[in-house]
Amino acid sequence: MLHLLKISRWAPALLSLAPSTALATPAENGSGGADGTALRALHCGRLVDVDRGQLLGPTTVLVRDARIAQVLPGRVAPSGARVVDLSDATCLPGLIDAHVHLSDQVGPASAVEKFRLDIADYAVRSTRYARDTLLAGFTTVRNLGDNAYETVALRDAIAAGYAIGPRILTAGVPIGSTGGHADPTNGYRADLAGDPGVAQGVIDGEDDARKAVREHYKRGADAIKLMTSGGFLSEGASADNAQMTVAEIKAVVAAARDYGFKVTAHAHGAEAIRRAVLGGVDSIEHGTYVDEEGLRLMKAHGTWFVPTISPNAYTFDKADQSGYFPPVVAAKIKAAGLRNLQTTARAYRAGVKIASGSDAGVYPHGENARELQLLVQAGLPPMRAIQAATLHAAQMLGIDRETGAVAEGKQADIVAVAGDPVADIGLLRRVSFVMKGGQVYRDDPAGGRDSAAHPAAADGPPATP
Ligand SMILES: [Zn+2]
């Protein structure tokens, strides 16, 4: 099983070499008991139990090295355990963002930077974006599209302690068709851009589709991302047209199964969504213009939906700024409005399985938790939104035996926030404590939450459509 291999890569095998971060006191990183184990007792004022969908009262989470040893009601302090006092806070599982772009940051300079930056520049920048993401409480992310597999290197660097960031499952370069949303040469001078192929993720036909999946295996990717429709931020005329055939999608999915890859499809238009579901993908990203048939098909096939409302909301505001986006891109964004809020509401009512992914990179990394606010604005109860970014995301990614809940045996991925995030989901934009795999990366003093690193709450969600 592929993800077992990944898990061994995730495991903090280099615990003794792991960084003692500047943001947590060394005492609380405690990886060095005399017997080689470190037992810590996290005294949580409350705990969000995502398995049962309940907010529990005072709870002790015992953490031994990288894993959760026990979850006990009340305050318990076994002998030899170091107490971590979170009694003024609510603990919840480390958050999961199922759709990020850790090596990119969209802005007015993006188009020109494609010509001026080397892949090494993107890779180095990604280390800061990864750090911002982890410190915002996201302990696991799925990267859905990079430039040249640089997030494979980022994933490995974080796992080995060379950089600080979340656990990463990466899809490497996205796969799409000539002129499609994944074609990196769209909008560029033809004689300079050339004709990209499978190595760049551009396929035409079933043979290319199979080769592209095998290339991902060879390059060390964890998942497959397809572009079955146009997109908003590429310089193509349509945001939603269908850009892959069902035969091509089926060829990708069949090859992906050989290697244990899950397949997700970026799909905005109804026909592209229909083809992706019929082609057998595991999940749909965006789903902007899904119709009733698409929702029915997703429900019938058990296809997950990742609504990505954040980029919709963020780019809509930026599209009016002269020079921020190329004109063809700005026009597509304005035409869509805040459609994804409505789409999410319809999908939820239709009973489609929803997991949270925010498309970070389209907006500033570290603001990921705004997606949970938007899910609530779209009509999900706050507990469901939290489950979408923990338990349900882990289930979709096939890693729920390892993370996604605060439960015995799982990785000690735990965050804490002042107040009650079930009553006020926006509090998740200000996490005060972050533990990933038993390592503490953030522990703000009680009452002195570090707002400088997270100017998060500055812009609220947009008005309800
Ligand atoms: Zn994306």
Side-chain angles (χ1 to χ4, degrees):
M1 287 296 293
L2 183 85
H3 66 258
L4 291 181
L5 288 174
K6 299 312 171 210
I7 285 158
S8 66
R9 181 150 50 194
W10 286 8
L14 300 175
L15 202 57
S16 60
L17 298 179
S20 65
T21 78
L23 290 121
T25 60
E28 280 159 343
N29 265 334
S31 54
D35 56 355
T37 62
L39 185 64
R40 280 152 298 165
L42 275 57
H43 285 173
C44 301
R46 282 174 286 218
L47 175 71
V48 180
D49 179 345
V50 293
D51 283 316
R52 287 186 289 174
Q54 288 177 1
L55 183 64
L56 307 179
T59 303
T60 300
V61 183
L62 293 181
V63 173
R64 186 179 297 281
D65 295 333
R67 291 191 182 264
I68 295 167
Q70 233 179 331
V71 181
L72 301 164
R75 289 191 190 195
V76 184
S79 69
R82 181 180 304 130
V83 170
V84 179
D85 184 10
L86 300 168
S87 55
D88 64 339
T90 301
C91 296
L92 61 159
L95 299 168
I96 300 173
D97 193 326
H99 187 144
V100 302
H101 300 277
L102 279 178
S103 58
D104 283 296
Q105 182 65 76
V106 172
S110 297
V112 170
E113 283 181 345
K114 283 199 169 185
F115 291 94
R116 297 204 179 276
L117 298 185
D118 289 313
I119 198 62
D121 295 309
Y122 286 103
V124 171
R125 288 182 179 190
S126 75
T127 61
R128 194 184 92 188
Y129 303 144
R131 180 189 179 96
D132 290 347
T133 302
L134 177 63
L135 296 183
F138 288 78
T139 50
T140 302
V141 301
R142 180 174 61 171
N143 205 83
L144 290 185
D146 63 14
N147 301 284
Y149 296 95
E150 69 276 14
T151 55
V152 171
L154 176 66
R155 175 198 66 197
D156 293 347
I158 290 169
Y162 292 106
I164 291 169
R167 287 195 198 81
I168 298 172
L169 297 171
T170 177
V173 301
I175 297 173
S177 57
T178 292
H181 189 50
D183 185 330
T185 64
N186 285 338
Y188 298 152
R189 224 176 89 176
D191 60 320
L192 295 180
D195 183 20
V198 170
Q200 290 80 34
V202 178
I203 66 153
D204 293 283
E206 295 164 60
D207 287 344
D208 275 4
R210 281 185 283 271
K211 184 167 171 56
V213 172
R214 290 167 183 168
E215 177 80 12
H216 277 68
Y217 177 67
K218 180 175 157 181
R219 300 295 299 265
D222 304 291
I224 300 294
K225 160 92 175 290
L226 295 182
M227 302 296 200
T228 67
S229 83
F232 286 92
L233 298 186
S234 60
E235 294 198 45
S238 169
D240 63 306
N241 60 0
Q243 298 186 338
M244 293 180 73
T245 65
V246 174
E248 286 169 332
I249 297 165
K250 282 187 169 169
V252 165
V253 170
R257 296 290 174 251
D258 287 344
Y259 300 100
F261 292 141
K262 289 191 184 295
V263 179
T264 194
H266 154 113
H268 288 293
E271 174 61 14
I273 293 165
R274 195 182 69 81
R275 290 188 196 179
V277 175
L278 294 177
V281 303
D282 299 289
S283 49
I284 297 287
E285 310 293 316
H286 314 306
T288 309
Y289 298 108
V290 69
D291 59 13
E292 295 311 304
E293 185 196 359
L295 291 174
R296 265 199 312 278
L297 280 173
M298 288 170 74
K299 179 129 199 269
H301 287 250
T303 314
W304 287 91
F305 178 41
V306 182
T308 69
I309 313 170
S310 300
N312 202 209
Y314 187 83
T315 60
F316 188 75
D317 291 340
K318 297 294 181 195
D320 284 328
Q321 283 183 26
S322 166
Y324 196 95
F325 291 118
V328 64
V329 171
K332 287 186 288 184
I333 291 168
K334 294 309 279 187
L338 299 175
R339 183 83 178 219
N340 290 64
L341 273 173
Q342 304 158 36
T343 302
T344 306
R346 287 168 53 224
Y348 178 64
R349 285 197 299 270
V352 172
K353 296 189 293 185
I354 293 175
S356 184
S358 74
D359 222 346
V362 172
Y363 66 87
H365 293 281
E367 298 279 320
N368 309 57
R370 187 187 184 195
E371 184 73 16
L372 282 92
Q373 279 184 299
L374 293 166
L375 287 171
V376 170
Q377 196 180 337
L380 268 69
M383 183 62 80
R384 281 295 290 269
I386 292 172
Q387 288 169 323
T390 53
L391 181 67
H392 296 162
Q395 289 169 347
M396 179 179 74
L397 302 182
I399 55 173
D400 49 310
R401 284 200 304 178
E402 281 292 303
T403 190
V406 177
E408 189 177 324
K410 293 190 206 266
Q411 291 278 337
D413 296 342
I414 299 163
V415 300
V417 62
D420 174 4
V422 180
D424 179 1
I425 196 78
L427 293 174
L428 290 175
R429 297 177 75 171
R430 302 280 294 274
V431 300
S432 56
F433 176 85
V434 179
M435 172 184 275
K436 182 192 78 168
Q439 285 277 319
V440 177
Y441 291 89
R442 174 169 209 150
D443 189 6
D444 300 344
R449 310 301 171 197
D450 182 2
S451 57
H454 289 269
D459 58 334
T464 305

